[in-house]
Amino acid sequence: MSASPPHPFADAFWRGLHALGYSDGENIKVEFRYTDLRSDRAREYAEELVRLSPDVIVAHYAQAVSAAMAATRTIPIVMAPHGAPLQLGVIDSLARPGGNVTGLSGMDAEIGGKRVELLRELIPNLRCIAVLAATLTTTPYSGPFVEDLRLAVTRAGLRFEPILIPGPSEFRSAFATMAKAEAQAVIVVPFFDPHQVILVELAAKHRLAYMSGSRDATAAGGLVSMAANFPELYQRAAFYVDKILKGAKPADLPVEQPTKFQVAINLKTAQALGLAISPTLLARADEVFE
């Protein structure tokens, strides 16, 4: 788990297992480890789990998948999910992943065009979009995430302000840089979701429209979020576990991608930014916070 407890992954994963007839302590045992987004812990826990000789390792998000892959090339690994498995070379292809890794792609680094399009609907005079991501040494996932957005913003004829920082200690200076560049919106990499409270505060202070893949960040005061339905993906991971326990090889199990992306909008934040949200856009949103 690339997160801290409690986290919706655990409940959703268990729902998936229960639906397939598994019960903790009876016909399955699940060991959870939470990394709190620390790469050193991810490596440590992956090695610890490998020593337990499990039948399968379920890895939540890119950092955990990378740690699991570094720890074993033989034990099956289920991505639950990974945001850019093809771009980062985790799998050979969606249809035939190869190796010991399969599971779910969250496509989080592939919907830059959709995110930019949504921001343009929300902000009619949009000229400049910033992205806040971690440095590539902190998480390689920032590479495809930022590049996908760069291409989308450039195609839209807008200015792009990428800010890559090592961690939370640089948040304040990062937002000051965005403001100086006259960015009107910032898209935040999922890696920083645990820090959404301070990030939303900084966005409000600098009058930046805050966009993320977390509906919780939107509920907390961000302007908008767009992402796959992650609880559904967490639950779907149980399907892969079941197949592998029944003898399927990861290399032969196609990687699944989401077909729908959920949008949440915070009306109070929109009003604070002086934005008028059209009834058409509100009707299309999956969730609206007032």
Side-chain angles (χ1 to χ4, degrees), residues 123-264:
I123 309 170
N125 65 339
L126 186 61
R127 298 178 301 278
C128 179
I129 297 175
V131 60
L132 179 65
T135 57
L136 299 187
T137 51
T138 304
T139 171
Y141 177 69
S142 289
F145 186 88
V146 173
E147 178 61 12
D148 182 62
L149 285 169
R150 184 189 70 78
L151 291 172
V153 173
T154 303
R155 279 196 301 267
L158 306 173
R159 283 194 298 114
F160 186 53
E161 188 70 25
I163 312 252
L164 276 68
I165 59 174
S169 62
E170 304 291 324
F171 283 161
R172 295 186 187 280
S173 60
F175 274 84
T177 301
M178 292 176 216
K180 189 175 180 180
E182 298 183 342
Q184 295 149 287
V186 56
I187 301 173
V188 181
V189 74
F191 185 81
F192 288 136
D193 282 348
H195 309 284
Q196 62 192 27
V197 173
I198 180 63
L199 290 171
V200 167
E201 286 178 5
L202 287 167
K205 175 184 175 183
H206 292 283
R207 294 190 60 75
L208 278 157
Y210 186 100
M211 181 182 226
S212 72
S214 167
R215 56 84 61 194
D216 292 339
T218 304
L223 175 65
V224 64
S225 60
M226 173 185 280
N229 184 328
F230 283 105
E232 279 189 6
L233 297 183
Y234 302 154
Q235 185 169 333
R236 184 64 177 167
F239 163 84
Y240 284 90
V241 170
D242 178 58
K243 288 290 186 185
I244 290 167
L245 292 180
K246 289 175 178 173
K249 296 187 183 305
D252 301 328
L253 289 173
V255 171
E256 293 183 5
Q257 294 180 301
T259 56
K260 187 177 185 300
F261 299 93
Q262 296 186 315
V263 172

Side-chain angles (χ1 to χ4, degrees), residues 5-171:
H7 190 276
F9 175 92
D11 289 340
F13 183 57
W14 273 119
R15 281 197 302 274
L17 288 174
H18 291 154
L20 292 165
Y22 292 97
S23 183
D24 190 27
E26 292 183 16
N27 56 1
I28 197 166
K29 180 176 180 177
V30 182
E31 292 272 356
F32 283 91
R33 298 291 186 275
Y34 292 87
T35 71
D36 299 318
L37 283 181
R38 281 175 43 183
S39 57
D40 57 331
R41 271 193 189 153
R43 290 191 297 269
E44 173 192 336
Y45 288 151
E47 290 167 2
E48 179 183 322
L49 290 174
V50 167
R51 287 194 294 272
L52 295 176
S53 298
D55 296 295
V56 59
I57 293 173
V58 180
H60 168 259
Y61 288 177
Q63 191 180 70
V65 174
S66 298
M69 290 179 69
T72 178
R73 290 290 178 174
T74 55
I75 297 171
I77 297 168
V78 173
M79 305 179 292
H82 191 300
L86 268 177
Q87 298 94 319
L88 289 175
V90 173
I91 56 174
D92 295 338
S93 72
L94 295 172
R96 304 250 336 150
N100 64 322
V101 182
T102 187
L104 301 138
S105 168
M107 292 186 71
D108 209 53
E110 298 171 53
I111 57 171
K114 292 180 182 293
R115 285 181 166 139
V116 171
E117 183 183 332
L118 180 55
L119 282 174
R120 292 184 79 181
E121 285 189 75
L122 289 163
I123 309 170
N125 65 339
L126 186 61
R127 298 178 301 278
C128 179
I129 297 175
V131 60
L132 179 65
T135 57
L136 299 187
T137 51
T138 304
T139 171
Y141 177 69
S142 289
F145 186 88
V146 173
E147 178 61 12
D148 182 62
L149 285 169
R150 184 189 70 78
L151 291 172
V153 173
T154 303
R155 279 196 301 267
L158 306 173
R159 283 194 298 114
F160 186 53
E161 188 70 25
I163 312 252
L164 276 68
I165 59 174
S169 62
E170 304 291 324
F171 283 161

